[in-house]
Amino acid sequence: MLTRDFLRNADCKTAFGSIDETMLLSSEQRLASLDCTLAKRPDQSPVWIFGYGSLMWNPIFESEEACPATLNGYHRAFCLRLIAGRGTQAQPGRMLALKEGGKTTGLAFRLPEDKLREDLELLWKREMLTGCYNPTWCELELSDGRTVTALVFIMNPLHPLFEADTSYKVIAPLIARASGPLGTNAQYLFSLEEELKNYGMRDDCMSELVNQVRMLLGISPTPSADILLG
């Protein structure tokens, strides 16, 4: 599992697996992306981060507040070809991202201002290794009725690792086979399934995919194919 110390010390060229250097953002490019994003920070309001994948169960940062939240206008999709971390160039998997349309329920984290820069630099090192996401300020509806503006990592459809076909018949075999220095692609999928269940959330992209991957791995299907509404 990723930790703060791992991210602080990680050499991006080797720590996540073998990645073509032409795909990697340099540290200068990552910091420039962060600076550009922070320059668009609305009204110096608190910085919230929207977690819809591994940030839900392993955010790395310590937030001042965490709350279930809904993002309208985007949905989860395993549309990112995974060539590092939990996959390789030779045996790529699929990583989660967001595509336009629908809605997504996840967790909103409010970051402490005194550690903001440190937390965001580590987050950029984690999420923006190849610049595959567009960090975007979006409105979230919190479960307690509040509306906040949060940073959301949305798939860049022009990125070379973008994959348009996210049908479970295509991606289930990829997820079932892929693994890398951070573990297996299936472990990621099952962790997401468990976290969504913990918060009573549902995602239509998940149920059939989870059961197909379990079948390919010879694991019994989940007791219920439904992951509650989100």
Side-chain angles (χ1 to χ4, degrees):
M1 183 177 287
L2 287 173
T3 65
R4 290 180 73 89
D5 284 342
F6 176 89
L7 285 171
R8 285 193 191 101
N9 300 320
D11 180 344
C12 293
K13 296 179 182 178
T14 59
F16 300 93
S18 178
I19 307 176
D20 186 338
E21 288 193 30
T22 62
M23 297 283 290
L24 289 171
L25 295 189
S26 67
S27 58
E28 292 79 13
Q29 288 173 315
R30 287 199 311 273
L31 291 177
S33 168
L34 173 56
D35 288 339
C36 181
T37 302
L38 283 176
K40 300 173 184 176
R41 178 180 176 180
D43 302 323
Q44 296 301 303
S45 59
V47 171
W48 293 77
I49 304 294
F50 183 58
Y52 58 88
S54 62
L55 287 178
M56 293 180 67
W57 68 86
N58 184 29
I60 298 296
F61 45 75
E62 292 186 7
S63 60
E64 293 186 324
E65 183 180 1
C67 186
T70 300
L71 171 68
N72 289 304
Y74 296 92
H75 65 278
R76 286 183 180 87
F78 283 86
C79 60
L80 174 58
R81 190 178 346 125
L82 183 60
I83 60 171
R86 296 178 182 270
T88 63
Q89 294 272 9
Q91 188 67 74
R94 285 292 184 92
M95 183 51 64
L96 193 63
L98 292 176
K99 293 174 65 178
E100 287 190 359
K103 65 178 181 178
T104 302
T105 301
L107 294 179
F109 300 94
R110 180 165 58 86
L111 298 188
E113 193 68 30
D114 60 346
K115 295 175 60 179
L116 183 62
R117 184 75 192 194
E118 176 188 357
D119 286 339
L120 290 179
E121 286 185 8
L122 289 178
L123 185 61
W124 249 248
K125 194 172 184 180
R126 171 180 176 161
E127 302 294 337
M128 294 293 285
L129 200 63
T130 65
C132 56
Y133 297 112
N134 291 326
T136 306
W137 296 97
C138 299
E139 281 197 353
L140 299 181
E141 298 174 1
L142 303 188
S143 60
D144 61 11
R146 286 176 293 165
T147 298
V148 299
T149 302
L151 268 175
V152 182
F153 290 92
I154 296 169
M155 184 70 211
N156 176 5
L158 301 179
H159 194 276
L161 294 179
F162 172 70
E163 296 284 359
D165 191 342
T166 58
S167 62
Y168 71 84
K169 291 182 179 180
V170 170
I171 64 177
L174 299 175
I175 292 174
R177 292 193 299 261
S179 65
L182 299 184
T184 70
N185 203 174
Q187 287 169 339
Y188 175 95
L189 177 67
F190 299 152
S191 294
L192 176 59
E193 175 199 28
E194 186 65 25
E195 196 71 1
L196 292 176
K197 285 183 177 179
N198 287 343
Y199 284 96
M201 298 175 184
R202 174 187 177 132
D203 199 300
D204 291 337
C205 84
M206 292 288 298
S207 299
E208 191 61 43
L209 176 60
V210 166
N211 284 331
Q212 285 293 315
V213 172
R214 286 183 178 275
M215 183 183 70
L216 290 168
L217 294 174
I219 302 172
S220 298
T222 51
S224 172
D226 290 330
I227 297 175
L228 304 175
L229 180 61

